[in-house]
Amino acid sequence: MTPFVIEIDDEYSLIEINDNIYDIIDEKVNEQTYPNNYYLLVSGKTKILTKKMHNGLYQRIFYKTNNKIAPKDSRQSAFMHSLENENISLSVCLGQAGTGKTTLAVAYALQQWDQHNKKIFFSKAAVMVGKGRAFGPVPGDVNQKYAPYLESFKIVLKKVLGAKTTSYIDAMIEVGNFNYQAIEFVRGNTYENCTFILDECQNLTWHELKTLLSRMGEKSKIILIGDPFQKDVSFRHQTNGLDVLINSDLFKVSEFTSFIQLEKQYRSPLADLIYKIDLDEIKKYDS
């Protein structure tokens, strides 16, 4: 995983080529950065949010939004910038609970619906906390079985839409503009001209993840969001899909992918405390 903050010790190593285009005369720094990824360049008191271009230079990013939901820090700004980049068809955003992953992704998807009539597909790994694969004897048809997974997206939709009512969301679901798509049923489909949001991506195998990603068609963007510290599935005999994807050199240098790691937690002090306790536990097992 590449760093987001790049410390440049020698102020003369950061050179402005022309307006908002920078070069770093430091091979050690350039070796650990990848095209289409975002970096906060820090040189003394200077901090510059940039995206590395395929020519090896760094373009300064000034992100502004007309959305009700606006980024709160540089990492969130980088995530929103990657979403609004039409050349990016796969955007991966990871972070602990409360960092704003789902809210920003949904805000972008709604913007695309309003401006370009792009349908929205929501999906999650059908996994119950700590129990592995879900359902089995759960009663009801497919829609009833997956209703609890759509409910979490409805909560975020209500937050972003504000004044628009529950009846509006239900109507959009009814006519097929907002859809919940179960991973188990993606094979054979092609998702074109849409925004596809996959939450809890850390709980998919590589087989499951590649099956979904290979369904994306023209004018579609898929957004993978998740928290690597909240894996509810044992991958003892299978490969974790998220790990395969983000550690692939082909993914890192692709012209149409991006990766962002969010860190600052905005939900509550309790959520942040639990995250820190979890990190302490992980350190104990690693030591």
Side-chain angles (χ1 to χ4, degrees):
M1 191 176 296
T2 61
F4 177 77
V5 178
I6 302 293
E7 298 278 356
I8 302 173
D9 296 329
D10 183 356
E11 61 179 320
Y12 299 105
S13 293
L14 182 61
I15 302 174
E16 187 170 12
I17 303 298
N18 51 47
D19 287 346
N20 302 317
I21 303 296
Y22 293 82
D23 193 7
I24 299 176
I25 313 301
D26 187 332
E27 286 304 315
K28 290 183 179 179
V29 170
N30 289 318
E31 286 175 0
Q32 60 181 334
T33 60
Y34 295 91
N36 271 353
N37 277 258
Y38 294 81
Y39 303 98
L40 187 65
L41 305 183
V42 179
S43 178
K45 295 182 179 180
T46 302
K47 295 182 179 181
I48 305 171
L49 178 61
T50 66
K51 183 180 78 168
K52 187 173 183 179
M53 300 183 292
H54 277 265
N55 60 8
L57 300 178
Y58 298 79
Q59 179 182 19
R60 188 170 190 171
I61 300 302
F62 298 93
Y63 183 78
K64 294 182 180 180
T65 180
N66 294 321
N67 281 335
K68 177 183 177 182
I69 304 297
K72 297 180 178 180
D73 56 47
S74 58
R75 290 174 183 265
Q76 286 194 357
S77 293
F79 179 39
M80 288 300 290
H81 188 273
S82 77
L83 294 180
E84 296 189 356
N85 184 342
E86 294 182 356
N87 296 321
I88 301 296
S89 56
L90 168 59
S91 183
V92 180
C93 181
L94 305 180
Q96 62 164 306
T99 49
K101 306 180 299 294
T102 308
T103 300
L104 293 173
V106 168
Y108 165 77
L110 288 171
Q111 180 187 58
Q112 291 297 296
W113 162 249
D114 288 337
Q115 297 179 2
H116 306 291
N117 291 323
K118 288 192 173 185
K119 291 184 177 182
I120 304 173
F121 288 88
F122 302 103
S123 188
K124 277 188 177 182
V127 177
M128 294 186 291
V129 176
K131 298 296 183 181
R133 298 302 174 191
F135 300 137
V138 176
D141 59 21
V142 171
N143 291 331
Q144 290 172 319
K145 286 177 181 289
Y146 285 93
Y149 293 88
L150 179 58
E151 193 60 33
S152 62
F153 288 113
K154 281 186 176 181
I155 293 171
V156 180
L157 283 168
K158 292 173 185 176
K159 175 182 178 180
V160 177
L161 289 169
K164 292 188 177 180
T165 63
T166 301
S167 59
Y168 169 80
I169 297 173
D170 291 339
M172 295 296 279
I173 294 172
E174 183 67 26
V175 298
N177 293 325
F178 298 169
N179 306 270
Y180 182 84
Q181 178 62 68
I183 297 294
E184 291 86 345
F185 303 115
V186 300
R187 179 164 285 158
N189 294 333
T190 299
Y191 300 95
E192 296 181 331
N193 195 40
C194 70
T195 304
F196 198 113
I197 301 175
L198 171 66
D199 198 1
E200 308 293 353
C201 64
Q202 75 277 1
N203 283 324
L204 292 184
T205 66
W206 173 237
H207 178 75
E208 292 167 329
L209 186 57
K210 74 177 182 180
T211 300
L212 172 61
L213 295 177
S214 63
R215 304 296 123 189
M216 295 300 116
E218 294 292 326
K219 298 182 180 180
S220 288
K221 185 188 293 286
I222 182 165
I223 307 166
L224 307 187
I225 51 181
D227 181 355
F229 293 110
Q230 293 194 9
K231 292 177 181 176
D232 298 300
V233 177
S234 171
F235 293 94
R236 190 172 306 165
H237 303 296
Q238 300 182 76
T239 309
N240 181 277
L242 177 63
D243 290 344
V244 171
L245 182 68
I246 64 175
N247 290 315
S248 164
D249 288 336
L250 293 174
F251 170 82
K252 292 174 182 177
V253 301
S254 170
E255 296 183 3
F256 51 84
T257 64
S258 70
F259 174 81
I260 304 292
Q261 179 93 30
L262 301 185
E263 287 192 348
K264 188 169 178 59
Q265 193 275 133
Y266 295 97
R267 179 168 293 166
S268 69
L270 178 58
D272 194 43
L273 173 63
I274 297 304
Y275 173 71
K276 291 175 180 176
I277 292 174
D278 195 33
L279 284 181
D280 284 344
E281 284 298 301
I282 292 171
K283 289 177 182 177
K284 290 177 184 177
Y285 283 107
D286 290 342
S287 60

